[in-house]
Amino acid sequence: MKNNKTSILLVEDDLSLGQTLAELLDVNGFEVTWCHNGEEALKYLTNNEPSIIVCDLMMPVMTGEELFLKVRNFRKFDSVPFIIITADVSFESKIKQLQNGVNDFINKPFKIQELILKIQNFLKYKEKLITQSQSPVSNIKLKSRKSDFFEKINEIIIKNIKSDITIEQLAKEVYVSKSTLDKKIRKFKQVNVSTYIREIRLDYAISLIEAGEVNVDTLAIECGFNSTSYFSVCFKNYTNLSPKKYINQKIK
């Protein structure tokens, strides 16, 4: 019997494949909503929350990757599994999607049984998580919206650690205005946006040192600083130790 617990959002621009998948998923007992592109899917998601999203990677109007990144910016979809369908089997493509946070992907061509089993496994896992979340103890582990917001910002900065990400770009990534971003960071972190980005880079440098990196030039490059001297000055101001002294302290 169909119900909301087994609702699937299928996003596929190929009419033949989309029709086939929709029919086969329907036959297997799922309630399927088929959208033909990412924009259509976003409109549907405004008022609906499917149990799982199955989406093609390469589509006109909006790619599957773009749709996934937009969906994950909404907290209510955090627990909705997202499966990418792709004909690109390259290692780089797979790694990129996994780094983005996609739950799984299926390479074309594939058998419907593979998709059905993956969907069923995700739904069982999701149901288990929901059951656990209803325990009073689990409430202790719930994160605030403020925490979620800064985790997202940190994730974006780390993802672009080697590039000179601007305040405008960062604000765009989290779907807020530049002024709103600046106000939030000043309010909760007591620093401006530029300083916050720099401190995240320096924390990343410290984590690299902890992992065994001892070359200061490499640290500067890996953390997105334009020069080793500027990196050293910033690092000393942040930790009260020069990078070399900090490294020597760690390897003793």
Side-chain angles (χ1 to χ4, degrees), residues 158 161-162 200-225 231 235 246-247 250-251:
I158 294 298
I161 197 73
K162 288 187 179 182
I200 294 297
R201 294 181 186 277
L202 292 169
D203 283 334
Y204 186 70
I206 291 171
S207 69
L208 291 178
I209 294 172
E210 299 284 351
E213 180 57 63
V214 296
N215 187 290
V216 178
D217 290 333
T218 300
L219 287 169
I221 294 170
E222 290 298 318
C223 298
F225 286 85
F231 166 72
F235 191 94
Y246 191 96
I247 291 169
K250 288 296 178 181
I251 61 177

Side-chain angles (χ1 to χ4, degrees), residues 13 28 31 46 77 80 94 135 144 146 158 181 194 222:
D13 67 300
N28 280 272
E31 183 177 354
T46 302
F77 297 124
V80 179
K94 291 180 180 179
S135 167
S144 66
K146 180 187 74 174
I158 294 298
L181 177 64
S194 297
E222 290 298 318

Side-chain angles (χ1 to χ4, degrees), residues 24-230:
L24 290 172
L25 289 170
D26 181 78
V27 168
N28 280 272
F30 297 104
E31 183 177 354
V32 184
T33 299
W34 175 22
C35 293
H36 298 83
N37 59 62
E39 285 191 357
E40 188 179 326
L42 277 180
K43 289 179 182 178
Y44 171 79
L45 290 169
T46 302
N47 299 309
N48 299 276
E49 186 177 337
S51 296
I52 193 164
I53 300 173
V54 179
C55 179
D56 191 13
L57 179 61
M58 300 305 298
M59 297 184 294
V61 183
M62 182 186 296
T63 66
E65 179 180 6
E66 291 171 331
L67 175 61
F68 171 78
L69 294 174
K70 289 181 182 295
V71 166
R72 282 296 184 258
N73 275 297
F74 294 93
R75 193 167 182 265
K76 66 178 181 178
F77 297 124
D78 283 352
S79 62
V80 179
F82 200 107
I83 299 177
I84 285 284
I85 300 174
T86 177
D88 186 351
V89 296
S90 67
F91 176 76
E92 291 76 12
S93 177
K94 291 180 180 179
I95 289 298
K96 185 177 182 183
Q97 299 313 313
L98 290 174
Q99 287 176 332
N100 284 341
V102 168
N103 299 101
D104 205 346
F105 47 83
I106 294 182
N107 294 323
K108 296 179 182 178
F110 60 90
K111 294 185 180 296
I112 190 63
Q113 289 173 306
E114 180 184 1
L115 179 58
I116 296 295
L117 288 173
K118 288 194 174 188
I119 290 173
Q120 289 175 339
N121 287 340
F122 274 121
L123 291 175
K124 288 177 183 177
Y125 181 66
K126 182 179 177 180
E127 185 177 355
K128 182 178 179 181
L129 289 180
I130 292 174
T131 301
Q132 292 175 342
S133 69
Q134 292 172 346
S135 167
V137 178
S138 66
N139 293 329
I140 300 173
K141 300 179 181 179
L142 292 178
K143 298 177 181 178
S144 66
R145 287 183 178 273
K146 180 187 74 174
S147 176
D148 290 339
F149 179 77
F150 282 103
E151 283 184 5
K152 181 64 178 177
I153 288 178
N154 295 352
E155 178 185 326
I156 293 167
I157 296 172
I158 294 298
K159 187 176 179 180
N160 298 277
I161 197 73
K162 288 187 179 182
S163 63
D164 189 18
I165 187 168
T166 64
I167 299 173
E168 289 80 7
Q169 290 172 324
L170 186 57
K172 185 178 179 181
E173 287 279 354
V174 292
Y175 297 93
V176 298
S177 67
K178 179 182 174 182
S179 61
T180 298
L181 177 64
D182 183 65
K183 287 177 183 177
K184 281 195 172 187
I185 289 181
R186 286 180 184 274
K187 179 179 179 180
F188 295 110
K189 301 299 181 180
Q190 287 78 52
V191 294
N192 61 35
V193 182
S194 297
T195 300
Y196 185 75
I197 292 174
R198 184 168 63 249
E199 288 181 353
I200 294 297
R201 294 181 186 277
L202 292 169
D203 283 334
Y204 186 70
I206 291 171
S207 69
L208 291 178
I209 294 172
E210 299 284 351
E213 180 57 63
V214 296
N215 187 290
V216 178
D217 290 333
T218 300
L219 287 169
I221 294 170
E222 290 298 318
C223 298
F225 286 85
N226 295 325
S227 72
T228 302
S229 59
Y230 178 61

Side-chain angles (χ1 to χ4, degrees), residues 14-25:
D14 186 298
L15 297 181
S16 177
L17 178 58
Q19 183 67 37
T20 300
L21 288 177
E23 290 177 355
L24 290 172
L25 289 170

